[in-house]
Amino acid sequence: MKLSRRLVPDVTTLQAFECAARHGSFTQAAAELNLTQSAVSRQIKDLENQLGVLLFERVRQRVILSEAGQKFLPEVRRLLNQTEELMVRAMASARADSTLSIASLPTFGSRWLVPRLPDFLRHHPDTVVNIASRSAPFDFDEQNFDIAIHYGQPVWAHATCSYLCSEIIVPAASPKLLAAKPVSTLEDIVGGPLLHLATRPKLWAQWFEANGMDGRGAYRGNRFDQFSMVIEAATAGLGFALLPRYLIEQELAAGTLRIVLDRPMQTENSYYLAVPEGKLENPISLAFREWITEQVG
C-alpha cells in the first residue's frame, strides 16, 4: 500500500509533542530538546494543523492535553519507542551476518533460555540475538519478532505453532520452612502457607484435586505475577510453591529449595514455538528451532 507523505509526521515533531505533554510546558520541552520555545510551539501548531484537531489547551501558565491529545499520546509514545528500537537493532546488527529476535516468557527466558544460549551462539557466532519478554500473544505485524516462546494452546493469529515441551510442576519449599513445618503427607501442606502465581490462580487447587483432596481451601496465600517472584518468595521461606521443575534446577542443585513431596503434575497447557507467517523458512530461525528442540529433548 502506498503511503501518503502528507499523512506521515516528522519524528522530531512527535518528540516535541510527547515532551510537551510530559512536562505540561512548551518552555520545559524546549529546554530538554535544546530548542527555543517558539520552535516547539511552531512544531505543535504544525502537528495540530496536520491532524485537524487541537492537542493542547492553555490553562494559566501551563498547557494541558485536550481530549484528542490524550488519545493521541499513547500512540505517539508507542511509535517513538518502536522507532528507537528499530535504530538500536539496526546498529547492533550492522556487522552481523544475521539477527534473530525472540519473544520469550519472562522467567523461561531468564532462568532457562539465557543460560543455554552460549551453546547456540557457539554454533552461530556471527548471529546477533535480541530477546524481549512477552507474557501473552501479540500481533507479529506490530512487533517485529522472528519467533515467540508461548505457553498455552497452539493458537496464535497469523503464526504457526509447533510443540516444544510439556510442563511438569512440583511442590517445593526452602529448608528453613521445612524445618519449621515438616512435611510427610499431603495434609501437612494443606494449611499452607501457599504461594500463588497470579496468572494461574487454580494451580494449587488442581494439584490437590489431582492427588485426591478437596481443593476448595487452596486459594489462600500471597500472590505474585511472575514465576521468578514465586521462586524468590519460596527460597526466602515465605511458603510452599508449585513450580516447573526446569525453572528451579539451580535451587535444587544448591539446596536452597527442596521438593516437598514426590507428587509431580503435568499442567493442562504446553510450551510452543510460534513463528509468524512469512518467516517459517528463515535460516537462522530454523536453526534456533532445531537447537531449542534438542535442548528440551
Side-chain angles (χ1 to χ4, degrees):
M1 181 180 67
K2 184 177 180 180
L3 295 175
S4 171
R5 293 184 181 275
R6 183 176 58 83
L7 297 178
V8 179
D10 187 276
V11 172
T12 57
T13 300
L14 296 181
Q15 288 177 317
F17 166 73
E18 190 281 331
C19 196
R22 180 159 33 88
H23 288 292
S25 165
F26 289 176
T27 301
Q28 292 182 40
E32 179 177 323
L33 298 171
N34 197 28
L35 297 171
T36 63
Q37 190 271 348
S38 60
V40 170
S41 179
R42 185 169 58 254
Q43 286 179 317
I44 300 300
K45 187 64 177 177
D46 289 344
L47 185 59
E48 289 178 328
N49 289 337
Q50 185 177 18
L51 296 172
V53 297
L54 188 69
L55 295 173
F56 289 97
E57 297 174 356
R58 286 166 175 76
V59 178
R60 300 183 181 90
Q61 301 301 314
R62 292 179 57 81
V63 291
I64 63 172
L65 286 171
S66 66
E67 183 177 350
Q70 292 174 18
K71 293 178 180 178
F72 190 48
L73 180 59
E75 296 300 322
V76 168
R77 284 176 171 161
R78 181 176 63 83
L79 181 59
L80 290 175
N81 286 335
Q82 288 179 337
T83 302
E84 183 178 42
E85 290 173 6
L86 173 65
M87 293 300 295
V88 169
R89 284 199 302 268
M91 292 166 65
S93 61
R95 297 185 179 180
D97 288 345
S98 60
T99 61
L100 181 66
S101 295
I102 305 166
S104 173
L105 298 161
T107 310
F108 182 99
S110 63
R111 298 184 70 90
W112 189 90
L113 177 59
V114 171
R116 290 167 171 80
L117 205 55
D119 180 71
F120 176 75
L121 292 176
R122 190 160 47 247
H123 292 89
H124 303 277
D126 295 322
T127 297
V128 170
V129 174
N130 304 311
I131 301 179
S133 295
R134 295 292 185 275
S135 298
F138 53 86
D139 189 341
F140 275 112
D141 290 335
E142 294 184 358
Q143 301 189 43
N144 188 28
F145 288 101
D146 299 302
I147 192 166
I149 299 168
H150 166 57
Y151 175 80
Q153 296 296 313
V155 178
W156 194 306
H158 308 298
T160 298
C161 292
S162 59
Y163 176 81
L164 182 61
C165 62
S166 61
E167 181 183 68
I168 305 295
I169 58 169
V170 294
S174 69
K176 179 180 178 181
L177 179 63
L178 291 173
K181 291 180 66 66
V183 174
S184 58
T185 67
L186 288 166
E187 286 75 11
D188 295 327
I189 303 179
V190 174
L194 303 179
L195 304 176
H196 299 269
L197 182 66
T199 54
R200 302 197 208 172
K202 299 179 181 180
L203 205 55
W204 271 112
Q206 292 168 345
W207 184 81
F208 280 124
E209 290 168 0
N211 285 284
M213 297 189 66
D214 189 344
R216 286 178 294 180
Y219 295 93
R220 296 186 301 272
N222 297 314
R223 282 171 164 69
F224 305 87
D225 75 346
Q226 298 289 342
F227 264 134
S228 57
M229 295 182 184
V230 179
I231 293 168
E232 292 300 323
T235 303
L238 292 181
F240 301 105
L242 282 174
L243 297 166
R245 183 166 186 143
Y246 77 89
L247 290 181
I248 54 172
E249 294 170 343
Q250 295 179 6
E251 285 76 12
L252 293 176
T256 54
L257 282 179
R258 295 177 184 170
I259 295 177
V260 177
L261 291 173
D262 187 19
R263 298 293 185 98
M265 182 183 78
Q266 182 171 325
T267 56
E268 59 186 358
N269 291 320
S270 298
Y271 291 90
Y272 297 89
L273 300 176
V275 181
E277 296 172 352
K279 293 188 177 183
L280 289 169
E281 301 304 320
N282 181 320
I284 194 63
S285 175
L286 283 168
F288 178 81
R289 281 138 58 191
E290 181 179 349
W291 170 82
I292 196 173
T293 301
E294 291 175 352
Q295 293 293 308
V296 301

